[in-house]
Amino acid sequence: MNINYEYYRVFYYAAKYHSFSNAANILLTRQPNVTRTMNQLESQLGCKLFHRSNRGVTLTPEGETLYSHVRIAVEQLQEAEKNLSEFTSLSRGSIAIGASETALRLFLPDFLKKFHRTYPNIQIRLANHLTMQAVSALERGEVDFVIATTPSNIQKPLRETKLKPFQEVLCGGAEFRKYAEKGLNFRRLSELPFVCLGQDTMTHTFYSRLFLEHGLEMHPSAEADTADQMPSLIRCGLGMGFLPDVLVKEAEERGEVFRIPFQDPVPTRWITLVTDTRKPLSIAAREMKRMILEEAEESKGRDA
């Protein structure tokens, strides 16, 4: 049978309130329209669904059977409509973000605070990964997008959008303070204790390439698993290392490290947004992406 869904919706309200008049009021129509629709439904189903009386209507056994199924279907659809309304109004939803640790420190805290103030009911799940681990999670569909750092070797169908530049500077603890006056270059640095992030990180790859561009191999005296460990390794004298400028400022103010002038150029790195062009984003994720790009533009304006 190919029965109009609207017939069942009218039947639901007539059966629920035992009244064609009440059903008409709820459906914003007239009682004769409800009566006509129910007559058509009974005709198509080949059975009586209601007993009519001056007091209203009651269900026949066949009507009770139909109502037990129609009630579930209509109320499920109403619940679905309510949920979708919450999603579209951004009063409900969830977002999964993959983030490298440097990106997490330099970009996300202030942004997430702003986003949460705007949409407090959106659930945010943050996965802290190495850049390539985060990209793999994106390709597997485990996160909506990734906030990472260059270099990232992103290839289609993934798309990378630059958000915020950051410059890294060489610094050292008290043992290396003497170099804060005369400065260093890659050749001299290769002869001294040097700390870096581990081999699986894009930061390690970045500096390995820079050493190679100067005909040198990088041999760190210590490697950190996380970016948070780097200031501690530098502070306790295991070697000099490159840190984002903003993190060096914080450590300088505490007297823990000293900047060391560096004579060879160190290219600017970027915080980036990585998305999968094959995967449609949810309404909440699309809104967060829009705000991320907006925040990046505003940041460029402030820094200009």
Side-chain angles (χ1 to χ4, degrees), residues 50-61:
F50 296 99
H51 289 301
R52 279 85 162 171
S53 70
N54 292 333
R55 298 192 210 176
V57 296
T58 56
L59 290 169
T60 65

Side-chain angles (χ1 to χ4, degrees), residues 225-241:
D225 285 334
T226 67
D228 278 345
Q229 295 173 352
M230 284 287 293
S232 297
L233 296 182
I234 293 169
R235 185 175 63 248
C236 68
L238 292 186
M240 292 169 281

Side-chain angles (χ1 to χ4, degrees), residues 170-181:
L170 184 67
C171 58
E175 293 84 350
F176 301 98
R177 188 168 189 174
K178 60 182 178 181
Y179 297 108
E181 297 178 2

Side-chain angles (χ1 to χ4, degrees), residues 2-45:
N2 187 19
I3 297 176
N4 191 329
Y5 163 74
E6 187 64 19
Y7 290 5
Y8 289 123
R9 194 165 78 95
V10 174
F11 168 77
Y12 167 78
Y13 286 108
K16 180 177 181 179
Y17 295 105
H18 304 287
S19 168
F20 286 2
S21 296
N22 288 343
N25 290 335
I26 292 169
L27 295 167
L28 303 178
T29 188
R30 295 166 55 231
Q31 180 179 334
N33 293 334
V34 173
T35 300
R36 184 167 52 253
T37 298
M38 290 302 90
N39 289 339
Q40 290 171 336
L41 180 61
E42 289 177 329
S43 175
Q44 290 186 36
L45 291 174

Side-chain angles (χ1 to χ4, degrees), residues 145-190:
F145 42 73
V146 166
I147 308 296
T149 55
T150 58
S152 52
N153 300 325
I154 297 301
Q155 297 179 351
K156 293 181 178 180
L158 303 185
R159 177 182 296 155
E160 183 175 49
T161 305
K162 290 181 177 179
L163 300 176
K164 181 179 180 179
F166 66 98
Q167 191 70 43
E168 293 188 301
V169 298
L170 184 67
C171 58
E175 293 84 350
F176 301 98
R177 188 168 189 174
K178 60 182 178 181
Y179 297 108
E181 297 178 2
K182 49 188 174 182
L184 292 172
N185 56 26
F186 278 111
R187 182 161 298 280
R188 183 71 180 105
L189 183 60
S190 68

